[in-house]
DNA sequence: CGCCAAATTGATAATCATCAAATGTTGTGG
DNA sequence: CCACAACATTTGATGATTATCAATTTGGCG
């Protein structure tokens, strides 16, 4: 078990979006009941079928939350970046998770046991309110994604994914076509064809594993609120 | 404004899934800060673009929660039945809703102003915990639906919708092919073709607006947890 | 340098939406 | 009570989108 550095402490008190604006003593108390968990690149945070009900707040790095179907296809639901949380609701649910979570790069997390987190929330209504806010947005995002899948073309979905990744992780986006396909719900080949079109239009530039967005406006399509990835 | 009947009171204290198991005084207090709202068949509960942040608990009837795309296509996200809630999180979110809600049949709801509900939850941690439970399941269901859309065939999706509707509303299901299409994310014609196949296999029987499920087992496919409609 | 993963592009096939046309059912109003 | 409008159902034919298969090239890393 490792401890927090001073910069990490600083980050939690002043930057982390999940905690931003909450009272300092509340944040301090949360830190006091948490451990630090470290995952190497590609390391598993939780496995499919786990009953893991622990709470994670990413301090640095990125976690990718996926489902794998029986046909072997991967689907990515979420990329959790520093300041954001994963498994926030699992202390309240007793069914096994059908999702797995893996570190995209080396990742450090605040890590709180499920029942400790549960009683902590019970003591702190402002934290509950913050959680409702976050989940509300997550639910909207999920619905938004359902809409996309129901009625947008593959091209449009890929553009939206690029736009969202750009908003969240800035240019250049460090991602491969395979991973974009897993998020957009399509195939690698289709993604590469779309990227090729966008490149010819000078909207993006690409290198192996990297994408620069030149014209973010062109990608935007806000018919149904923003996607969250 | 109308008042609760004795049976409705009875229902809220002993049956309603959202309140089941919560302390009686808490339920009584919630009722005391609520009004009753009545909607005729096809009446609007909330409109798209509304900033409506009120909380609704269905006492009788059914509410359908939909999105309409610019292309005019309807998509149904949720059918809220007696004992369930709608708009639970909107007091915590300040973006306009991109969904509309309409009564499928004559519907009566407990109706609480957004800020009243907000402060009520703040006073009652057990209610917050219940809300997290419900939302957790809703989020799982949404993810489950995303998975379905990404990798199941239209046939399979329709079967799953039938299975879920059967579990929730019992046989015969009162629904038309158009509405099933809106839930499954496909077209009326495809739904009717699938229904035709299932009818030939004696798995279902149909009449205009009604579907009997003879063999629910055949429809089940629990690869990714249950769908919630 | 050599290996492996990623990218690229073309050809083909399958699923499913779309268009179309006919039939059946319900409820309403004259 | 009947006629008719409105809507639900049914089935066939067609076409577009996109997945799948295949073969080649490129780039980075040990």
């Amino acid at each position: 078990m490792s401890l927090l550095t001073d910069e990490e402490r600083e980050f939690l008190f002043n930057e982390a979006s999940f905690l931003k604006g909450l009272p300092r003593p509340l944040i301090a108390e949360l830190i006091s009941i948490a451990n630090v968990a470290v995952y190497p690149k590609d390391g598993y945070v939780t496995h499919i079928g786990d009953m893991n009900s622990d709470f994670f707040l990413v301090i640095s790095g990125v976690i990718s939350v996926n489902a794998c179907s029986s046909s072997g296809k991967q689907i990515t639901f979420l990329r959790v970046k520093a300041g954001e949380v994963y498994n926030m609701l699992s202390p309240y649910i007793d069914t096994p998770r059908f999702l797995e979570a893996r570190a995209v790069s080396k990742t450090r997390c605040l890590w709180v046991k499920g029942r400790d987190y549960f009683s902590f929330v019970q003591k702190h209504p402002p934290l509950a309110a913050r959680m409702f806010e976050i989940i509300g947005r997550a639910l909207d995002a999920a619905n938004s994604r359902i809409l996309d899948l129901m009625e947008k073309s593959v091209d449009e979905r890929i553009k939206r994914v690029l736009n969202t990744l750009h908003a969240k992780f800035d240019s250049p986006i460090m991602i491969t076509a395979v991973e974009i396909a897993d998020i957009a719900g399509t195939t690698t080949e289709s993604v590469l064809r779309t990227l090729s079109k966008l490149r010819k239009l000078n909207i993006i530039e690409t290198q192996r594993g990297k994408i620069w967005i030149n014209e973010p406006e062109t990608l935007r399509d806000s018919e149904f609120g923003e996607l969250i990835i």
Side-chain angles (χ1 to χ4, degrees), chain A:
Chain A
M1 187 192 107
S2 73
L3 294 174
L4 292 175
T5 66
D6 285 348
E7 297 84 56
E8 288 176 344
R9 235 160 229 291
E10 166 68 17
F11 173 75
L12 292 170
F13 279 106
N14 300 313
E15 305 284 335
S17 62
F18 180 69
L19 299 171
K20 199 145 195 169
L22 292 174
R24 292 183 68 85
L26 189 157
I27 299 177
E29 193 184 337
L30 180 66
I31 293 175
S32 76
I33 64 167
N35 286 314
V36 176
V38 185
Y39 302 95
K41 181 171 157 58
D42 296 328
Y44 281 91
V45 180
T46 60
H47 288 268
I48 291 182
D50 265 10
M51 286 300 282
N52 187 316
S53 64
D54 298 347
F55 165 93
F56 299 89
L57 193 164
V58 176
I59 302 169
S60 62
V62 176
I63 291 175
S64 169
V65 181
N66 314 302
C68 307
S69 71
S70 53
S71 71
K73 206 154 117 189
Q74 276 253 344
I75 291 155
T76 298
F77 279 103
L78 210 59
R79 291 198 152 207
V80 187
K81 74 172 180 178
E84 300 181 333
V85 296
Y86 168 61
N87 239 11
M88 176 173 63
L89 291 184
S90 60
Y92 298 88
I93 313 176
D94 53 3
T95 52
R97 312 312 22 250
F98 59 95
L99 303 177
E100 66 174 30
R102 308 181 63 171
V104 173
S105 54
K106 188 188 173 209
T107 298
R108 289 167 61 85
C109 299
L110 267 198
W111 163 44
V112 184
K113 278 265 152 232
R115 30 167 197 293
D116 295 343
Y117 187 73
F118 186 97
S119 39
F120 185 77
V121 174
Q122 209 157 31
K123 279 196 296 182
H124 299 286
L127 181 58
R130 167 63 48 90
M131 287 169 64
F132 286 128
E133 248 179 86
I134 306 259
I135 306 166
R137 278 202 291 271
L139 209 48
D140 278 1
N143 284 336
S144 188
R145 200 160 169 185
I146 291 172
L147 278 169
D148 270 17
L149 286 165
M150 281 191 180
E151 73 154 38
K152 298 262 161 96
S153 69
V154 166
D155 255 25
E156 288 170 314
R157 296 210 304 270
I158 293 171
K159 279 162 68 178
R160 198 123 110 93
V161 169
L162 288 175
N163 184 43
T164 309
L165 288 171
H166 175 245
K168 181 157 177 174
F169 296 102
D170 279 332
S171 198
I173 310 167
M174 306 299 289
I175 198 166
T176 65
V178 181
E179 294 171 290
I180 294 179
D182 291 344
I183 298 173
T186 178
T187 59
T188 315
E189 292 92 334
S190 292
V191 171
L192 286 162
R193 275 183 245 271
T194 304
L195 291 182
S196 174
K197 276 188 242 170
L198 294 174
R199 212 183 313 117
K200 273 169 198 140
L201 293 168
N202 272 317
I203 297 170
I204 62 169
E205 286 167 62
T206 62
Q207 250 185 36
R208 190 191 183 89
K210 279 186 209 173
I211 302 173
W212 287 264
I213 311 289
N214 293 333
E215 304 180 19
E217 325 77 49
T218 321
L219 299 175
R220 203 162 303 138
D221 159 24
S222 52
E223 185 176 7
F224 306 117
E226 288 307 308
L227 197 60
I228 299 182
I229 294 178

